[in-house]
Amino acid sequence: MGIDYADLHDPNAEYTMRDLSAETMGVTAKRGGGRDVEITDVQTTMVDGNFPWTLVRVYTDAGIVGTGEAYWGAGVPELIERMKPFVIGENPLDVDRLYEHLIQKMSGEGSVEGVTVTAISGIEVALHDLAGKILELPAYQLLGGKYRDQVRVYCDLHTESEANPEACADEAERVVSELGYDALKFDLDVPTGFEKDRATRHLRPAQIRHKVDIVQAVTERVRDQADVAFDCHWSFSAGSAKRLAAALEELDVWWLEDPVPPENLDVQREVTESTTTPVATGENRYRVSEHRRLLESQAVDIVTPDMPKVGGMRETRKIADVANQYYVPVAMHNVSSPVATMAAAHVATAIPNALAVEYHSYELDWWGDLVEETVIEDGSITVPERPGLGVTLDMDAVESHMVDGETLFDEA
């Protein structure tokens, strides 16, 4: 018999002074127009894609179901199960209060940052889909309205010879000409053959020359056809990051992503200030509070929150609002299934400073099969006018690609 995570005992949650449940807050007024709806269940199903995607469903007594997605990772389904009692009986239209309610209820279990925030994000995305369906409005309308009909997508590329500059350039050219993308990203923390000790985070001169060769080969090949970013996955020391960024200044780099680890804000700012190469970061920071410090310190040129990881759709909107005060664009990191990818597009259409949304699954030929609608076409997402997120899970496809040992959602 497995553990019942929903029934775990937490004395802190029982006497917290900031319980934001409808009962505690006295939210009892009747709502007209079919808006008196209660949450009856929350379920998850993990799909074995190029990442183990955690899909989330919120069920109601009206028979309407909202679908969301949390950033992948161990423990996320268990945390969502843990939070289920905190939302059952609540009205799903109170998205912001329920988000804050979960943050408070889970504060003892780590809702400042990390996987607890990620689990809350999955519920929050599902609530937006559900609220949109109840109100018969697209999710972006709940976030303030529309700036654009289409959202630009940047495609994260890989090759079998990822350290070969010409192989990278060939793949960039192919994806632009055959798949229609005009925005790309490559990994730059690839093996060069010149490594001596990875633990030091230090780049030798030959390693920097090799990385410059990759950037030059790719950017010269696609030139004005596509913008190209390069990801370092928080791999390098401050000095090495500054030398690499300086070596790339004369090349057409869209941005250099995560050149240093995320923990030290002073180092991040130092690297960004040292170069004219645009520096991007944000996927490893949680909630608007962490991004606010990043932006107020002017430690970033482009901010890259991961929507189903950072706190959800409204939290990403809040981050974008702060970024806009510093004239910083938002390029959403995204390694999700079509569900959270479309949710990110709804956020992107509702904020003025949306640069692009990432797509990380172009080599996975069944990615689009998980939903009935087309999500990405010719390098962009047309944000749907259907209620909620505007995508419908293909349950047969979900079932055929579930993680071993997983069970499928209940019927709506």
Side-chain angles (χ1 to χ4, degrees):
M1 181 177 177
I3 297 171
D4 185 354
Y5 289 95
D7 199 37
L8 289 180
H9 178 62
D10 178 5
N12 289 326
E14 293 170 8
Y15 61 76
T16 176
M17 296 299 290
R18 197 164 182 262
D19 185 311
L20 300 180
S21 66
E23 180 181 5
T24 301
M25 296 297 294
V27 180
T28 59
K30 291 294 183 182
R31 313 183 195 197
R35 293 180 295 123
D36 268 322
V37 179
E38 288 189 4
I39 296 171
T40 57
D41 198 8
V42 181
Q43 297 181 13
T44 63
T45 293
M46 292 183 71
V47 173
D48 193 13
N50 53 330
F51 294 84
W53 300 313
T54 300
L55 303 181
V56 184
R57 280 201 141 179
V58 176
Y59 296 77
T60 68
D61 60 355
I64 305 172
V65 175
T67 301
E69 180 178 352
Y71 187 89
W72 68 277
V76 174
E78 290 84 355
L79 281 163
I80 291 173
E81 181 72 13
R82 169 81 180 96
M83 291 184 281
K84 190 191 321 186
F86 304 147
V87 296
I88 287 179
E90 292 280 356
N91 191 312
L93 295 174
D94 296 337
V95 179
D96 197 66
R97 179 176 60 79
L98 291 179
Y99 171 78
E100 291 293 336
H101 180 48
L102 293 177
I103 290 289
Q104 291 297 314
K105 280 290 192 180
M106 298 299 290
S107 59
E109 296 171 64
S111 61
V112 173
E113 60 182 23
V115 70
T116 304
V117 177
T118 294
I120 294 171
S121 301
I123 296 174
E124 195 264 9
V125 174
L127 289 176
H128 274 92
D129 185 44
L130 184 51
K133 289 174 179 176
I134 293 169
L135 299 174
E136 298 185 350
L137 292 171
Y140 75 79
Q141 202 71 64
L142 307 179
L143 298 171
K146 183 187 283 190
Y147 277 90
R148 53 193 66 84
D149 289 332
Q150 292 185 324
V151 171
R152 194 180 188 193
V153 174
Y154 75 89
C155 189
D156 190 296
L157 305 187
H158 301 87
T159 72
E160 291 184 3
S161 303
E162 61 182 355
N164 183 306
E166 288 306 310
C168 292
D170 289 344
E171 182 66 353
E173 185 176 35
R174 184 189 75 83
V175 169
V176 169
S177 62
E178 295 182 10
L179 303 184
Y181 290 93
D182 65 358
L184 315 173
K185 186 169 80 175
F186 282 90
D187 291 345
L188 206 54
D189 56 326
V190 294
T192 66
F194 300 106
E195 289 80 11
K196 289 295 184 182
D197 185 346
R198 288 179 179 271
T200 65
R201 301 189 184 277
H202 178 72
L203 289 174
R204 301 172 64 207
Q207 291 174 271
I208 290 180
R209 287 195 297 271
H210 178 265
K211 296 180 190 310
V212 170
D213 288 344
I214 292 176
V215 173
Q216 186 167 14
V218 172
T219 55
E220 288 186 355
R221 183 73 68 86
V222 295
R223 232 172 234 291
D224 295 334
Q225 296 175 283
D227 295 315
V228 190
F230 296 88
D231 196 345
C232 302
H233 292 106
W234 50 96
S235 297
F236 308 133
S237 67
S240 293
K242 286 190 280 188
R243 288 186 294 119
L244 174 61
L248 299 176
E249 286 181 347
E250 300 305 314
L251 301 177
D252 294 329
V253 176
W254 199 15
W255 70 73
L256 186 67
E257 185 170 329
D258 290 326
V260 292
E263 294 89 353
N264 193 315
L265 183 59
D266 292 334
V267 172
Q268 177 68 49
R269 181 179 62 248
E270 181 184 329
V271 171
T272 301
E273 290 177 346
S274 75
T275 182
T276 59
T277 298
V279 175
T281 193
E283 70 176 270
N284 282 323
R285 295 183 179 272
Y286 293 84
R287 302 180 61 200
V288 68
S289 54
E290 288 195 353
H291 283 82
R292 176 183 57 79
R293 289 189 287 270
L294 183 70
L295 290 156
E296 286 180 346
S297 300
Q298 298 186 53
V300 63
D301 296 306
I302 297 167
V303 68
T304 58
D306 192 300
M307 186 277 301
K309 179 180 185 180
V310 75
M313 296 173 71
R314 288 180 63 81
E315 196 75 358
T316 305
R317 168 71 206 239
K318 293 174 186 177
I319 291 165
D321 288 341
V322 177
N324 203 38
Q325 298 302 306
Y326 292 89
Y327 318 124
V328 171
V330 177
M332 274 180 260
H333 182 267
N334 176 59
V335 294
S336 303
S337 83
V339 175
T341 300
M342 183 61 85
H346 276 274
V347 178
T349 199
I351 61 176
N353 48 340
L355 195 60
V357 173
E358 183 175 11
Y359 173 50
H360 206 286
S361 304
Y362 81 112
E363 297 169 300
L364 193 67
D365 59 5
W366 55 265
W367 182 86
D369 296 343
L370 287 180
V371 296
E372 296 177 3
E373 299 82 5
T374 298
V375 175
I376 301 173
E377 191 169 16
D378 295 328
S380 66
I381 299 172
T382 299
V383 181
E385 291 297 326
R386 294 181 295 278
L389 297 181
V391 290
T392 309
L393 283 180
D394 185 316
M395 298 304 263
D396 291 335
V398 172
E399 186 173 22
S400 65
H401 295 292
M402 289 190 304
V403 170
D404 287 345
E406 185 60 280
T407 56
L408 191 62
F409 295 117
D410 288 345
E411 292 290 332

